[in-house]
Every structure is written in structure tokens, then in C-alpha cells.
Amino acid sequence: MSRVTFTIDGKTVKAIRGQTILKAAEAAGIFIPRLCAYRDLTPHGSCRVCSVRVNGRIQAACVQTVAEGAVVESETPELQEFRRNLVDMLFVEGNHFCMFCEKSGFCELQALAYRFGIAAPRYRYLNPKRDIDLSHPDVYIDHNRCILCGRCVRASQDMDRKNVFQFVGRGSRKRLQVNGDSLSETDLKATDEAVSVCPVGALMRKRVGYEVPVGQRRYDGQPIGEDIETREDK
Amino acid sequence: MKRGTASVTAEICRKFGNDRSRLMDIAIAVQERFGCVSHEAMEEIARAVGSHRVEVESLVSFYSFLSVKPQGKVVIRLCRDIVDWMKGYEAVAEAMSRELGVTMGETTPDGAITLTHTPCIGMSDQAPAALINGVVVTHLTPERGRQLIRDLRKHLDPQQLVTMVGDGNNEHPLVRSMVRNNIRMRGPVHFAPFDPGSGLRKALALAPAEVIRAIKDSRLRGRGGAGFPAGLKWEMAAGSPGERRYVLCNADEGEPGTFKDRVLLTECADQLLEGMAIAGYAVGSDTGIVYLRGEYRYLLAFLESRIEERRRKGLLGRDILGRKGFHFDIRVQLGAGAYICGEETALISSCEGFRGDPKNRPPFPPQQGYLGSPTIVNNVETLCCVSRILVEGSDWFASMGSSRTTGTKVLSISGDCRKPGVYEVPFGITPAELLEMSEAENTGTLLIGGPCRQMIGPDRLEGRICYDDLATGGAIVVFNRARNRLEIAEHYLDFFIEESCGHCTPCRVGLILLKDLVHKVIEGAGAPADLAEMRSLSNFIIRTSRCGLGQAAPNPVLGALEIFGDLSAGFVAERRPGLLPEFDLSKAVIDAELRVGRQSKYV
Ligand code: SF4
Ligand code: SF4
Ligand code: FES
């Protein structure tokens, strides 16, 4: 395996050739915020929250691969502002009521907002009319909270070897669609990986909400990304 | 599903070899046959090609000419580009919708006629124009719009609306269109006589590497707008590992105000097809695809007949011109109404039978493009240049134009000028000269290269049209001083919002928020801070978007702001602190009343 050396915010990082900047940073204990990227799923490059500056040009760290000697900037005021805008835009694009949401405390969108110190969105709510698909016995989709990250689409194909989800429409009319007239007509199982990868409260398992009390949820105690930043083995 | 529908759909799939990668053609054929691609048809298609219904739906829902829901037997798509709008779009739309008794986007109750609008169809020099089941009608007036509907009601046959045909090959029996070429200036590269086979013969006398060398020596840069050196692209594709290689021609000119490829496709088809064969020889490819935008489907039969004729002459097919082992053939891939497919990776996705979402890069197409193989994507005009370069030589070509941009450029000029049309001019020409040639007066704003490029004011008329100064893919849109620049910008923002693929957040959401701001200022509710916010939001969208669409969409806004100068005072004013200028109390009360369903007591 050939190796390359580059820097992130001045810190020298060694990486494997062909690795993405996001992964290389993570291995070095540097957290680059992300939403649509998830473990080994093929990168999607859609949320743009992982935007970093590479040799002066802004690139998505989840798709851009490392290059020898590259100068990567991540925590600059400009990029922090951009990420803040992106999270903000994802909030106002859908209908998010965190206080009533089962996903609160586990939600990556919410956790990023906390990490960035967003108390209220700066853009106007677009208030789209979206529906909820409750037809399946064990799983439901609340389109109001879907951020179109495509994790479920990719997980269904690559991990579950099914094809339950796809995007339909384009532009602001783009939305998640299932392979059938409703979720109950698909071969989705509650145990499918596709269900557990959703970063927000859009694709949810039924009858398990609120099981973990407030205060003990994943991001109640530590900000998102802190696990990467405080790992021992890095 | 009605009996027979399933079998017809299955038959269409068979015609395309039940090939998953031909999903575009299958969907287009089904749409033509049934007026929509229903869920039932999708099930059938998915079964035949080994896909899933939702995947077929994903594709169908992406393209604006395809539809899940039934449309009328005749679909009238009125072009709503800004030039059409300047030339009376609204009055025509109003007249047609009255005559039909339906509003925009609706179908008559008898299911006969649908009236809708569509962005630029490449007829800005003969606007207002419309596409009626693919048949182009131009120079519309309210009266002609009404008449046309009365006629259609009688026969429902759009072809019968063509009573006068245009010039040149628009007269050809396989085209028979009322479109006019409006070629105002003929240059030596594109509009000089061309003898089919002459360029290819010269190419075959050279080794493939020498052909690439010749293109490099000519310093030909891609005519799509980005200006990437064509020879370099070819060299990369030739040098990338792969079993097969592909040559794709981008005939998807969707940039509002651009129509020069339409004229080249009509008048220089041989030169184009020959350029593809030369490229095929140079990079070692045996397959070419012309990606023809859906708006130009009226040219499809004609182009296919040209391809067929070239096969007969031994200029396409196997052992071309007797050269053992050099095989190259071309098919035409039809698009279905998606601006983004002009972006090369989106174009490739579409050819592969997917939504026209751009792909992540790297890898770049010359490394891994169509079906994962090394692919060159060249614009129509670029490939036409290739044939001429082989005939006349690299030095001849490089001797024209400006120092770093060689050759000539075909421009489409439209808007507020007396002579809209196509001009082949040497690179390096100034906007002032173009305005004079096209007889434009009192020009206030000039769009160089369509909305994705730049908007300039009268102070830059002495610049140069070339890749180092005022770069353009081919559109020059002229606006006189009476036109409001912010309104122009808003119009183009609407266009980009409509045409965004929606993949990434800044483009999908950011453009809507940017439009809000522009609109607010136009309405007179803006504050100086809004202009600053417009700039920073534009900058954010440009920097963080994934592909060229988002990276370009705010340009008209930035252009309008830059040449705002004297106008800005009229738009925004300092307000008293604490006052929200965009808040309209009476409108808010009406909104609230509508929501609760009763009138307010205190009004
Ligand atoms: S999905 Fe996340 S951001 Fe949206 S309402 Fe639920 S907790 Fe809040
Ligand atoms: S349902 Fe969840 S995982 Fe799927 S696209 Fe929406 S937000 Fe992403
Ligand atoms: S995580 Fe990289 S674009 Fe979403």
C-alpha cells in the first residue's frame, strides 16, 4: 500500500493512496463534519457539509481523494460559515420539530446544529407539504424530515442487496420514493441496514421511540464527532 | 393495464434488446405511444430489462418531456425563455390558454390538448416559439396562437401546422420545419463548402497519434464554453486503460439564448459526423453517440438518414474507406428535456439510461466515462472544427482568432437587436462590433455566453470574445436600457431552480433563498443589507455546489449587482431601525384569514 502525506489545518497526516480526505482525516483523529457520508457506503457528495478547501479549491472531503502534499483547510471561519449555512438550509427545506421528534438526541442533523452553535435558523422556512408513509407494520417514513442524503438508497442496494429506495423528481421537487405504491408493498424489513442508517427522523422503526430517556441519548453527553477526536489509537 | 399495453411495452423493450442501458430510448418510445409512462408500463419495463419499478420512475420523473400521468394527445410547450418573454410570451400564453379554456400546465377536459411551458428551446432568433409534439412553430402572436389551436382542434396533427418551411435543410423532406437558419455571417470553418470524406481521408493517411498531434497543433479548444484543449482530452482518452473507448457528441445545447448548434446540425451534419469518426480513429474507438436534446427531435430522422448515407459511402461502419480494422459507427441518443444533461457527466448518465445527475469527479470521462470506459465528450461545434482542421491543416486554423484562442466562433445573437441569428466570427471580436453587426441600439446589458457566464454593462463593450476575456459557449443576448437587470437575473434564477438536478444542498435550497432576496428587492422591500447578503449567498452557492450548474447559477445576480450602479438607489433604501421592510401587514392578515377560513374582525 503506497502512502501519501498531506496537511489538514497545518497538521501533517499520513494516508493510504486512494483514500478519501474524510477517511484519512478520521483515521488521524480529525473530525470533518458530514451528513450524507456513512461508513463504507459509496460516497454521495450531496449534503456538502464536509466541504474543505484543497489547495485553494473547495471540495467535498467525502469524495475527494488525498494527494501527496495537498494543503487541506477545514476549520476556517469561511468553511464553518458555509457548513452552518448548509445545515441551516437542510432545516428550513423540510419540516423539523425537534421537540416532538423521536430522533432527538440521536439525530445527526440536530447534533451538527448543536456543534455549530445554531440556536435558530437564519433562513425562512420553506414549509413544504410532505407526507408520511405509515403503511408498513414495522417501519415508517416521515418525508418531512428527509434530507435527501441517499444513505438508505445506497444501503438498500449495497448492504441489503435490495432496491427499496430511489430518488424521483428533480430540483426542489426531488423526493425519496419506494419501489411500490407504498412502503408496505416493498420487501423492506425492519432489520434492514437501510433503516438504521438514516441520520434523521425520516426512516424510523416503529414502537421503539422514546425508549432511551432524554439525557442519555447519543448526542446528549458528547457533541457529534467527539468520538473521532478523542480516540486513543489515533 | 389494458390488454395489449403490456405487450406493446414489452415489444418496445425487445426492440432495444431488453438492455438496461437503453432505458432512455425505451421510456421515450413508451411515452410517444401512450402519452405517458404509467406505473403499469414501468413495471413491465423493469421486468423486461431486469430493473426495478422505482428505478424506472426515477428516470421518468427526472426528464420534463416524460410523464407518469397521462398528457394530452397534443402537448403544446410554449417557450418561456427571457427572449420569448421580451417578444410577447405573456400575451401569446394568455391567448392560447383562453382559447383552450385551461391554464398553463393543464389538459383540456377531453384529454386532447395540454398547454404548458418549457425553458429555452433554441429558437431565440424567432421567438416567441413553441414545440408542439416536437414540431416547432415560430414567430407566434396571440392571433396565430389562437388560430393554431383552432386548427389543432380539427385535426390534432401538429405537422399540418407547418404551411411554410424554412431555408436550407429545413426544407429537406425529413425535416420539413418552419425553422429558419438566419445565418448572418459565414466564416471559413463552418459555413464553407465541405466535401464528405475529405477530412477522414487525410486523417487515415496519418497515424492516430499524428491526428491527435494535428489537433493539438491547431490549439483547438472545446467550444462548449469551458475551453478545455480538445487535443489534450483526446490524448488522455487514448492513453487511459480500457477495453473500449467512446466518442460522444454533446448536441444538448440548452444554455438559454444559444441556438448555433441547431444550425450546425441542420447545415453541417456531415462535417460533424466526420469529426466524430476522426476522433474515433484518433483515440481507438468504434462507437460514437450523438446526444441530441429532446427539443431538437425534429432533426432526428434527418440526422439518422445522414448517418445511413455515410454508411453507404463507406464513411461509417466496418473497414471505413477500405482501412482494414477501422470500424466506427454512430447512434443518436435522444434526450428528454433536461438542461443539466449538457454537463458532460450528466450527459453520460443519461446515455447510460439513468437520471441526468452529474457524477462525482474524479474519475474524469477521458479516464472512465460512458459505461466505465474512456470517453471523450465534445461539443457539436468542436467536432465540426476537427473535420475542417484535417482538411485545411493546423496552421491554417491556428492563424485565425486571437493569440490564445484560435479559429472562429459561431455565435447565436438574439434579444433587442434587429438582426438576430447565427454569426461565424473570428475569436477576439469585441461586443461593440457584434452589436453593430446585429444592429442593436441603446444597449444596456449584454449576456455573454448565456446566464451561466457573464452579464456585462456598456463599459465592457471593448473586451474580447475569447477564453481569456469574455468566454462564451455561443450565446449573446442583448438587452436595451429599458430592461431591468435584476428582473433579468430573477428570470434566469427561475430557470436554474427549475433545471437543478437537486442532488446537492446549496443548489437545491440555496437558489430558492437567493431568488427570495432578489424578488424582495425588485418588489421594493429591500434594504442595503440584502444586496450584501445576495453577494455572500451567491458566493456560497458558487463555492460549495457540486457541478457547473450551481457553480454558475448565481452569475446573473452577481452581474446585475456589479453593473447596478445608478439603479441601486431606486431599489433599496435605508429604513428606520426595527422596521422589517418585507413585512406587509395587510398581506399577512389576508394570509392568516385564508388559513383560519374566516375574516378578521378588526379590518
Ligand atoms: S429529524 Fe433531527 S432535525 Fe429533524 S426534527 Fe427530528 S431531531 Fe430535529
Ligand atoms: S430517508 Fe433518511 S436515509 Fe433516506 S434519504 Fe431521507 S434522510 Fe437520508
Ligand atoms: S458528507 Fe460529503 S457531501 Fe455529504
Side-chain angles (χ1 to χ4, degrees):
Chain A
M1 260 187 301
S2 76
R3 299 205 149 250
V4 291
T5 309
F6 69 108
T7 64
I8 301 180
D9 292 334
K11 189 176 166 207
T12 304
V13 175
K14 285 196 192 313
I16 304 161
R17 192 178 293 281
Q19 211 172 18
T20 63
I21 294 174
L22 191 86
K23 292 248 152 144
E26 188 165 325
I30 298 170
F31 174 68
I32 298 174
R34 80 289 305 268
L35 266 175
C36 66
Y38 182 77
R39 291 198 198 138
D40 291 328
L41 291 179
T42 326
H44 200 232
S46 65
C47 73
R48 312 311 273 182
V49 170
C50 68
S51 293
V52 291
R53 213 174 247 286
V54 187
N55 298 335
R57 248 186 94 91
I58 293 182
Q59 307 274 13
C62 67
V63 285
Q64 193 63 30
T65 48
V66 292
E68 179 65 38
V71 178
V72 178
E73 296 161 86
S74 173
E75 296 293 306
T76 67
E78 180 201 35
L79 288 165
Q80 280 165 332
E81 164 86 5
F82 285 176
R83 288 177 190 148
R84 203 200 124 99
N85 286 356
L86 288 163
V87 167
D88 238 65
M89 285 182 188
L90 289 169
F91 262 107
V92 301
E93 187 192 23
N95 301 310
H96 295 269
F97 304 98
C98 297
M99 60 288 247
F100 307 121
C101 179
E102 280 181 33
K103 194 78 169 200
S104 257
F106 289 107
C107 170
E108 294 175 34
L109 180 68
Q110 187 192 49
L112 279 176
Y114 280 140
R115 187 176 164 122
F116 298 159
I118 300 177
R122 55 184 289 202
Y123 300 116
R124 81 170 168 103
Y125 280 99
L126 301 185
N127 293 320
K129 232 180 123 41
R130 297 189 185 170
D131 35 65
I132 305 176
D133 182 343
L134 291 162
S135 62
H136 192 283
D138 304 316
V139 181
Y140 71 90
I141 302 180
D142 185 347
H143 289 282
N144 290 294
R145 295 174 183 141
C146 174
I147 56 167
L148 307 174
C149 70
R151 284 191 191 179
C152 58
V153 178
R154 289 168 285 153
S156 179
Q157 286 173 349
D158 302 348
M159 297 161 87
D160 303 330
R161 306 277 155 210
K162 297 180 181 178
N163 206 321
V164 178
F165 306 98
Q166 277 293 332
F167 289 121
V168 297
R170 71 178 188 214
S172 53
R173 294 181 311 278
K174 180 171 181 164
R175 63 189 292 276
L176 187 69
Q177 175 74 294
V178 298
N179 190 35
D181 289 339
S182 66
L183 200 54
S184 59
E185 284 182 25
T186 69
D187 52 355
L188 184 77
K189 294 263 171 328
T191 48
D192 284 355
E193 289 290 341
V195 183
S196 54
V197 299
C198 182
V200 290
L203 190 52
M204 301 282 285
R205 232 167 260 144
K206 289 182 177 173
R207 295 178 297 277
V208 293
Y210 309 111
E211 249 176 20
V212 184
V214 173
Q216 293 170 30
R217 297 179 182 181
R218 190 177 309 144
Y219 303 118
D220 287 346
Q222 61 167 12
I224 188 167
E226 208 180 81
D227 50 336
I228 292 172
E229 291 163 333
T230 54
R231 254 200 355 251
E232 306 271 286
D233 61 331
K234 66 190 187 203
Chain B
M1 195 183 291
K2 271 189 251 114
R3 259 181 69 79
T5 312
S7 63
V8 174
T9 304
E11 194 185 305
I12 290 171
C13 294
R14 262 200 306 282
K15 194 177 133 209
F16 292 102
N18 289 334
D19 182 352
R20 165 74 183 77
S21 76
R22 299 300 294 275
L23 214 50
M24 273 299 274
D25 301 275
I26 293 171
I28 291 169
V30 170
Q31 169 86 29
E32 274 187 3
R33 183 70 175 66
F34 299 108
C36 68
V37 188
S38 62
H39 275 142
E40 292 84 343
M42 287 178 192
E43 301 263 6
E44 186 57 44
I45 296 170
R47 193 166 27 243
V49 306
S51 180
H52 301 262
R53 180 179 110 181
V54 71
E55 257 186 45
V56 183
E57 182 165 358
S58 180
L59 172 124
V60 169
S61 63
F62 188 86
Y63 297 92
S64 48
F65 292 177
L66 300 176
S67 167
V68 184
K69 292 202 195 80
Q71 291 183 293
K73 286 198 183 62
V74 174
V75 182
I76 304 175
R77 296 177 201 279
L78 206 53
C79 180
R80 198 184 48 166
D81 178 48
I82 195 155
V83 178
D84 297 74
W85 182 65
M86 285 154 55
K87 307 276 171 189
Y89 164 84
E90 278 180 355
V92 176
E94 156 94 22
M96 290 172 87
S97 107
R98 275 195 185 205
E99 185 69 35
L100 280 168
V102 299
T103 60
M104 256 313 141
E106 285 185 350
T107 304
T108 51
D110 59 354
I113 304 177
T114 301
L115 178 66
T116 179
H117 53 68
T118 187
C120 187
I121 59 171
M123 302 289 160
S124 308
D125 56 339
Q126 34 216 308
L131 276 177
I132 306 185
N133 285 7
V135 173
V136 185
V137 293
T138 59
H139 291 299
L140 283 166
T141 58
E143 188 35 51
R144 291 188 58 188
R146 274 190 288 268
Q147 188 54 48
L148 172 164
I149 284 167
R150 283 181 217 129
D151 292 347
L152 275 177
R153 278 228 157 97
K154 277 181 223 141
H155 49 62
L156 286 182
D157 176 12
Q159 196 58 52
Q160 285 192 37
L161 299 171
V162 181
T163 46
M164 255 171 35
V165 290
D167 53 337
N169 283 329
N170 290 303
E171 271 178 37
H172 191 283
L174 289 174
V175 183
R176 272 202 52 75
S177 156
M178 66 193 287
V179 175
R180 298 194 59 84
N181 285 330
N182 286 331
I183 303 172
R184 309 271 183 185
M185 184 163 296
R186 294 174 180 272
V189 176
H190 300 279
F191 296 119
F194 178 78
D195 175 22
S198 57
L200 198 49
R201 266 184 210 99
K202 292 245 170 116
L204 292 182
L206 304 170
E210 287 170 332
V211 176
I212 295 180
R213 178 84 265 171
I215 298 302
K216 286 177 97 175
D217 288 344
S218 75
R219 290 184 278 135
L220 169 66
R221 296 174 68 168
R223 296 317 200 218
F228 192 79
L232 205 59
K233 197 186 256 187
W234 290 18
E235 198 169 63
M236 281 160 68
S240 296
E243 293 270 295
R244 300 190 68 180
R245 296 189 163 65
Y246 295 92
V247 176
L248 267 48
C249 166
N250 184 346
D252 190 72
E253 67 174 349
E255 197 61 43
T258 316
F259 46 86
K260 48 108 190 167
D261 287 350
R262 176 196 89 214
V263 177
L264 293 175
L265 289 162
T266 313
E267 299 303 325
C268 310
D270 260 297
Q271 212 174 314
L272 160 69
L273 298 169
E274 186 143 331
M276 292 179 73
I278 294 168
Y281 174 71
V283 305
S285 159
D286 63 358
T287 307
I289 301 174
V290 177
Y291 187 86
L292 182 68
R293 66 189 304 227
E295 288 81 349
Y296 293 169
R297 101 150 286 165
Y298 74 100
L299 292 170
L300 178 65
F302 170 72
L303 287 173
E304 283 179 336
S305 78
R306 281 298 158 105
I307 292 171
E308 187 50 46
E309 193 179 314
R310 290 181 70 86
R311 282 187 198 123
R312 267 202 308 279
K313 289 186 182 157
L315 298 171
L316 279 179
R318 301 189 63 77
D319 300 324
I320 291 176
L321 286 172
R323 170 66 64 96
K324 281 270 161 291
F326 173 41
H327 316 312
F328 187 80
D329 213 335
I330 297 175
R331 76 170 167 95
V332 182
Q333 171 68 61
L334 205 54
Y339 166 80
I340 188 67
C341 290
E343 198 276 347
E344 61 178 6
T345 61
L347 183 146
I348 291 170
S349 299
S350 189
C351 285
E352 291 168 338
F354 293 104
R355 304 160 58 83
D357 286 330
K359 299 178 194 242
N360 286 318
R361 286 170 298 188
F364 291 89
Q367 305 163 309
Q368 266 176 55
Y370 180 64
L371 303 176
S373 297
T375 301
I376 50 178
V377 185
N378 281 142
N379 167 269
V380 171
E381 190 184 343
T382 316
L383 290 160
C384 287
C385 289
V386 163
S387 300
R388 189 69 71 181
I389 290 167
L390 267 291
V391 176
E392 304 285 350
S394 315
D395 293 344
W396 175 85
F397 189 84
S399 72
M400 289 179 288
S402 72
S403 55
R404 290 176 58 198
T405 314
T406 58
T408 63
K409 179 77 194 112
V410 187
L411 296 175
S412 340
I413 306 185
S414 63
D416 291 318
C417 62
R418 261 194 293 279
K419 287 190 166 166
V422 168
Y423 294 75
E424 183 181 346
V425 296
F427 267 112
I429 197 165
T430 65
E433 290 170 281
L434 295 177
L435 291 176
E436 197 180 317
M437 287 187 324
S438 60
E439 297 186 7
E441 275 162 22
N442 208 14
T443 301
T445 310
L446 207 53
L447 206 63
I448 308 276
C452 85
R453 294 274 152 188
Q454 44 193 334
M455 194 143 121
I456 63 168
D459 57 315
R460 292 191 64 191
L461 296 186
E462 297 307 323
R464 305 244 159 233
I465 304 281
C466 66
Y467 292 109
D468 302 311
D469 188 5
L470 299 169
T472 167
I476 306 284
V477 189
V478 187
F479 302 94
N480 67 32
R481 282 178 200 273
R483 313 272 180 204
N484 177 335
R485 289 166 187 141
L486 263 195
E487 275 177 20
I488 300 172
E490 186 186 23
H491 194 101
Y492 286 129
L493 270 183
D494 281 334
F495 168 79
F496 286 119
I497 290 170
E498 173 68 30
E499 294 297 326
S500 163
C501 79
H503 185 84
C504 70
T505 318
C507 176
R508 189 181 67 236
V509 192
L511 289 177
I512 293 178
L513 299 170
L514 182 59
K515 187 207 140 100
D516 274 1
L517 274 173
V518 172
H519 192 73
K520 180 172 145 192
V521 173
I522 290 176
E523 297 278 282
D530 292 322
L531 299 187
E533 176 64 11
M534 253 186 237
R535 277 200 187 88
S536 75
L537 198 52
S538 294
N539 176 52
F540 158 79
I541 296 168
I542 290 171
R543 302 271 167 257
T544 54
S545 288
R546 185 170 77 135
C547 85
L549 190 148
Q551 290 159 9
N555 281 344
V557 177
L558 291 177
L561 288 175
E562 196 177 309
I563 47 184
F564 222 72
D566 48 325
L567 288 174
S568 82
F571 273 115
V572 293
E574 288 292 351
R575 317 261 164 172
R576 263 185 299 129
L579 207 74
L580 271 184
E582 72 270 29
F583 185 72
D584 180 340
L585 180 61
S586 40
K587 191 174 160 288
V589 171
I590 295 170
D591 280 353
E593 285 175 349
L594 280 174
R595 236 166 254 199
V596 296
R598 61 180 160 77
Q599 280 220 326
S600 165
K601 258 193 199 167
Y602 300 100
V603 171

